[in-house]
Every structure is written in C-alpha cells, then in structure tokens.
C-alpha cells in the first residue's frame, strides 16, 4: 500500500508527503480493477469525497503527468473542489487547489508484481487529508519612535509633597500610542526602599478592555526633575516588556532616589513644595489584530 498524506493549516498551504505503511488511508480509497485498460487514458478523476469540511477528488495519471515532468512515473494529485447546487463540480479560483506528486512511483517499480503495488491488474490508491481550521486571525507588531516626542512625554507635578501621608499616590491616566498608563510614587519608599528612598513605577492601566492582549515593548526614561540646576535624576530602560495583568505593577525601582537628596533644598528637586516626575517614551511597540477569512468560495 502506498499512501499520500496531506497535512495543512488550510487547503491552500498544504504540506504533502508519501511513505510506505501497512494499513490503508482512512479518508478515501481509489481502487482500480483494470489498470491495463485505464492506462490507455491520460488521466482518471475520482468521484468527489468530503473530509475536513471540504470537497476533494483524486486525479490519477497512469502513465505520468507529462506536463509536470512525470514521464515514466505514475502521478497522483489531490484536488480541492466545490460542489454547487446543480451538482456540477466547480474549483476554487485564485488559489492553489492541487497538491500531489508528478513522480509518485517509477512505472517500472509500480508494475513489478514483486513490489506489491499492481497485482493481477489491480491497484489501490488513497489519501488522508488533515485540515486544521484556521481562524484567519493574525497580528502585526511594529516598534516605532514616537513622533513628535512631545506626544510621548508625561510630566506629573506632585504638589504639597511634604504633607503627603498615604503610602502611595497615582497620577492621572495618560495615553501613549493608544495605551493608558499611570505613574505610581511612594513618597516614603516601598519595600526595601522604605524610609530612605523615593520609589517610582510606570504602570499599565485599563488594558483589560483592549482587543489585543499582546505585550508592549518600550524604551523609556523615568525622571525626577531638578527644577533649579537641571541635573535631573533619571533611569533609562531598554526593551522592557509590559504585560496584561491586573496585579502587574509595571516597571520601577523601590530605590529610585534617596530621600535625603530629595529633601535637600539646594539640589532643586522640590521647589515650592512641588515635586515633578516625568516619563519619556523613546521607542514603543504597537500591535494590530486582523480578523480575516482566508478561504473564500465563489
């Protein structure tokens, strides 16, 4: 028994291969009882059969498909067809509908009864078709430098800083390239920075409602602004991955800036009891989802 297996994500992008095995194909068999008579014809097209939600037929060339270098071979193809309401078969258009082998077996090998393919003028061909239903959904991701840069910067003025008593404070929501973010500050430090450091985080917010759950990759800077000397305290972050999760804090540092330096008036970080922190996105990824039917029938 000689088997053709067709494996495909769609009937259009098929991978097909042949191999020998002891048991016959399970989807369709083509039994030819008088090969010597049929061999006088150029080809034989089987009846239509259905598997994987599509209509198919086998096309057999008993003396080879001479138009595809099949001389001195037998050729066998699997054809994708569509049965119309009138009962006539109609092929799909504008796409590949034929998969198979122009050189399946050499005629000499096929006709030698010792090989077991052709016995008493009788032979059997078959196909198994495995179609993985593809949703047709895909996504594209691009990594871009925001332009103009002013659209990728957010400044947060935290007033009456010395009077803040809560453990943490969050900025208003701001949008960069279609994503919402917040800055989170711990005035008296968080975790290992508690009591000695200002802690600062960049946090995604409201991403649960977005159609895409793809991660976002970004290069950005978090800054504490020196309002007097212009010597800002900043951290540059490269290719940080932000994910979708309710409990995801984002990126930040519990030991972002020492409180003793922050509170030193000569260093210029707090002016008129106002602290300014800033985030600036240098590069950010953008993912778009596309929903599309890959296979169209006419």
């Amino acid at each position: 028994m000689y088997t053709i297996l067709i494996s495909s994500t769609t009937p259009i992008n098929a991978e097909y291969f042949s191999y020998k095995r002891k048991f016959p194909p399970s989807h369709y068999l083509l039994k030819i009882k008088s090969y010597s008579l049929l061999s006088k014809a150029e080809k034989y097209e089987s009846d239509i059969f259905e598997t994987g939600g599509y209509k198919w037929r086998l096309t057999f060339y008993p003396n080879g498909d001479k138009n595809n270098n099949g001389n001195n071979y037998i050729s066998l193809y699997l054809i994708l067809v569509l049965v119309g309401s009138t009962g006539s078969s109609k092929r799909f258009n504008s796409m590949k509908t034929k998969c198979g082998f122009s050189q399946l077996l050499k005629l000499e090998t096929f006709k030698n009864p010792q090989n077991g393919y052709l016995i008493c003028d009788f032979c059997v061909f078959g196909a198994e078709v495995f179609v993985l239903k593809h949703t047709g959904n895909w996504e594209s991701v691009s990594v871009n430098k925001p332009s103009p840069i002013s659209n990728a910067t957010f400044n947060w003025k935290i007033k009456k800083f010395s009077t803040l008593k809560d453990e943490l404070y969050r900025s208003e929501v701001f949008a960069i390239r279609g994503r919402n973010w917040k800055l989170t500050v711990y005035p008296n430090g968080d975790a290992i920075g508690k009591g000695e450091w200002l802690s600062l985080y960049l946090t995604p917010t409201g991403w649960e409602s977005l159609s895409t759950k793809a991660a976002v990759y970004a290069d950005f800077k978090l800054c504490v602004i020196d309002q007097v000397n212009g010597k800002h305290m900043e951290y540059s972050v490269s290719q940080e991955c932000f994910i979708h999760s309710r409990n995801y804090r984002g990126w930040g540092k519990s030991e972002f800036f020492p409180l003793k330096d922050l509170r030193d008036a000569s260093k210029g970080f707090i002016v008129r009891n106002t602290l300014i922190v800033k985030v600036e996105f240098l590069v950010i990824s953008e993912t778009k989802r596309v929903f599309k039917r890959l296979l169209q029938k006419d």
Side-chain angles (χ1 to χ4, degrees):
M1 174 61 63
Y2 208 94
T3 299
I4 292 181
L5 289 180
I6 309 293
S7 176
S8 176
T9 54
T10 72
I12 310 311
N13 301 309
E15 295 180 357
Y16 46 96
F17 55 93
S18 64
Y19 67 95
K20 297 180 180 180
R21 70 183 193 186
K22 294 182 179 180
F23 51 93
S26 61
H27 290 155
Y28 198 74
L29 293 177
L30 171 61
K31 299 181 179 181
I32 300 174
K33 294 183 177 181
S34 302
Y35 169 80
S36 59
L37 296 178
L38 183 66
S39 64
K40 297 178 181 179
E42 178 189 4
K43 66 178 179 179
Y44 173 79
E45 290 193 345
S46 76
D47 194 5
I48 293 171
F49 63 96
E50 182 174 354
T51 185
Y54 295 92
K55 309 288 185 180
W56 313 87
R57 70 165 15 121
L58 289 173
T59 299
F60 173 58
Y61 291 78
N63 294 296
D65 180 4
K66 296 178 174 56
N67 292 326
N68 289 287
N69 200 29
N71 290 321
N72 299 317
Y73 287 84
I74 59 171
S75 306
L76 186 64
Y77 298 98
L78 181 71
I79 308 295
L80 175 65
V81 298
L82 174 65
V83 178
S85 58
T86 62
S88 60
S89 68
K90 185 177 182 181
R91 293 187 179 181
F92 286 63
N93 57 22
S94 302
M95 56 184 64
K96 182 179 180 181
T97 62
K98 180 178 178 179
C99 293
F101 299 88
S102 63
Q103 298 180 352
L104 180 63
L105 274 176
K106 286 188 175 181
L107 274 170
E108 180 182 359
T109 302
F110 173 70
K111 291 180 177 180
N112 188 339
Q114 293 182 349
N115 293 324
Y117 298 118
L118 183 64
I119 303 295
C120 298
D121 214 22
F122 176 79
C123 57
V124 181
F125 299 92
E128 289 185 347
V129 185
F130 300 97
V131 178
L132 304 180
K133 297 294 186 179
H134 201 292
T135 63
N137 301 338
W138 55 278
E139 70 177 55
S140 65
V141 59
S142 58
V143 182
N144 304 301
K145 294 181 178 180
S147 179
I149 199 66
S150 59
N151 292 340
T153 300
F154 176 75
N155 290 283
W156 180 23
K157 291 185 178 181
I158 306 174
K159 299 180 179 181
K160 300 180 180 180
F161 184 79
S162 64
T163 65
L164 302 181
K165 303 299 182 184
D166 291 343
E167 180 184 15
L168 65 91
Y169 293 84
R170 295 186 175 92
S171 73
E172 63 181 293
V173 176
F174 58 95
I176 302 292
R177 297 303 290 265
R179 302 283 182 141
N180 289 337
W181 309 81
K182 285 183 180 179
L183 290 175
T184 301
V185 67
Y186 290 75
N188 203 40
D190 173 49
I192 61 174
K194 202 170 188 67
E196 296 185 2
W197 295 80
L198 176 79
S199 304
L200 182 61
Y201 297 90
L202 173 64
T203 307
T205 183
W207 288 15
E208 299 84 2
S209 61
L210 296 177
S211 60
T212 174
K213 306 303 180 187
V216 172
Y217 295 84
D219 296 352
F220 61 95
K221 294 189 294 186
L222 282 179
C223 307
V224 176
I225 301 300
D226 179 348
Q227 303 175 60
V228 175
N229 308 301
K231 298 178 180 180
H232 312 313
M233 176 61 192
E234 68 179 34
Y235 278 93
S236 295
V237 183
S238 180
Q239 287 300 296
E240 178 64 20
C241 174
F242 292 90
I243 61 174
H244 290 250
S245 175
R246 289 182 179 275
N247 299 320
Y248 178 57
R249 177 183 284 183
W251 188 94
K253 292 181 68 68
S254 59
E255 297 178 329
F256 191 88
F257 194 59
L259 289 177
K260 62 180 181 64
D261 293 333
L262 187 70
R263 293 165 179 165
D264 186 340
S266 66
K267 296 185 181 297
F269 292 102
I270 298 177
V271 175
R272 298 185 182 89
N273 209 15
T274 298
L275 175 72
I276 302 176
V277 295
K278 181 180 78 169
V279 59
E280 179 182 330
F281 286 86
L282 306 176
V283 172
I284 188 168
S285 68
E286 184 175 10
T287 300
K288 294 181 179 181
R289 288 287 302 275
V290 178
F291 302 89
K292 181 180 180 181
R293 283 185 62 87
L294 292 185
L295 194 62
Q296 299 292 337
K297 301 178 183 180
D298 63 14

